[in-house]
């Protein structure tokens, strides 16, 4: 199985992902923007069993603003690592955290909240796909 290593900004925390992500894309929601301090979050979604913290686990902080998202970061450098989504059964490892994984986005989610419209021809969902509890509604670019 293919493995990729990722690390936080300072390198105290290392993670390993195995296999292939379940989905990749961009999230435009205000929570991702506020927490990442960026106009959009590039996500890769993995099954929890395919994501392991291999170094510095005691350095990993986790903040839950809502029960849907456990946002994990390095307590030393503040660098962001990943967000687990317990209600979806998936972990979002930020594309920037695992640069050796070829990022091939397939969808934009929470596009109704966008501050940075991206005209790339990919589907734009108003919120989340129906199978993940969203409306599944597609909106214009
Ligand atoms: Zn760090
Ligand atoms: Zn988001």
């Amino acid at each position: 199985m293919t493995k990729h290593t990722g690390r936080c900004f300072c390198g105290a925390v290392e993670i390993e992902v195995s296999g292939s992500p379940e989905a990749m894309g961009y999230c435009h929601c205000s929570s991702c923007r506020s927490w990442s301090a960026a106009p959009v979050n590039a996500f890769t979604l993995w099954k929890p069993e395919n994501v392991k913290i291999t170094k510095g686990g005691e350095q990993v902080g986790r903040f839950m603003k809502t029960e849907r998202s456990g946002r994990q970061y390095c307590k030393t450098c503040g660098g962001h690592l990943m967000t687990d989504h317990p209600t979806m059964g998936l972990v979002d490892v930020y594309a920037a955290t695992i640069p050796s994984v070829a990022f091939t986005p397939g969808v934009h989610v929470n596009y109704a909240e966008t501050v940075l419209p991206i005209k790339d021809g990919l589907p734009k969902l108003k919120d989340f796909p129906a199978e993940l509890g969203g409306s599944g509604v597609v909106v214009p670019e």
Side-chain angles (χ1 to χ4, degrees), residues 55-75:
K55 187 184 138 191
E58 73 287 347
Q59 291 296 313
V60 177
R62 185 165 174 270
F63 178 76
M64 294 191 80
K65 187 176 185 184
T66 72
E67 64 185 17
R68 291 165 61 123
S69 299
R71 295 175 184 270
Q72 297 175 54
Y73 58 93
C74 169
K75 290 190 228 171

Side-chain angles (χ1 to χ4, degrees), residues 27-33 41 71 109-110 128:
C27 185
H28 296 255
C29 85
S30 62
S31 288
C32 282
R33 287 191 278 108
N41 176 42
R71 295 175 184 270
V109 299
N110 293 307
F128 288 108

Side-chain angles (χ1 to χ4, degrees), residues 8-13 74 76-79:
C8 67
F9 188 56
C10 76
V13 180
C74 169
T76 298
C77 68

Side-chain angles (χ1 to χ4, degrees), residues 79-140:
H80 297 171
L81 295 159
M82 55 188 159
T83 295
D84 59 282
H85 296 294
T87 57
M88 294 184 194
L90 292 167
V91 179
D92 170 9
V93 181
Y94 310 123
T97 303
I98 43 173
S100 64
V101 175
F103 183 63
T104 51
V107 67
H108 292 251
V109 299
N110 293 307
Y111 203 69
E113 298 177 42
T114 189
V115 296
L116 182 67
I118 299 174
K119 296 186 189 295
D120 58 5
L122 293 173
K124 308 291 183 306
L125 295 184
K126 176 172 174 270
D127 41 71
F128 288 108
E131 58 269 31
L132 292 177
S135 70
V137 171
V138 176
V139 295

Side-chain angles (χ1 to χ4, degrees), residues 3-72:
K3 292 182 190 296
H4 293 271
T5 300
R7 50 186 59 82
C8 67
F9 188 56
C10 76
V13 180
E14 285 187 5
I15 65 167
E16 182 182 85
V17 294
S18 307
S20 305
E22 304 301 304
M24 294 187 263
Y26 300 98
C27 185
H28 296 255
C29 85
S30 62
S31 288
C32 282
R33 287 191 278 108
S34 177
W35 198 63
S36 66
V40 65
N41 176 42
F43 65 80
T44 71
L45 292 171
W46 303 76
K47 291 187 174 147
E49 61 266 32
N50 290 339
V51 181
K52 285 191 180 65
I53 296 171
T54 50
K55 187 184 138 191
E58 73 287 347
Q59 291 296 313
V60 177
R62 185 165 174 270
F63 178 76
M64 294 191 80
K65 187 176 185 184
T66 72
E67 64 185 17
R68 291 165 61 123
S69 299
R71 295 175 184 270
Q72 297 175 54

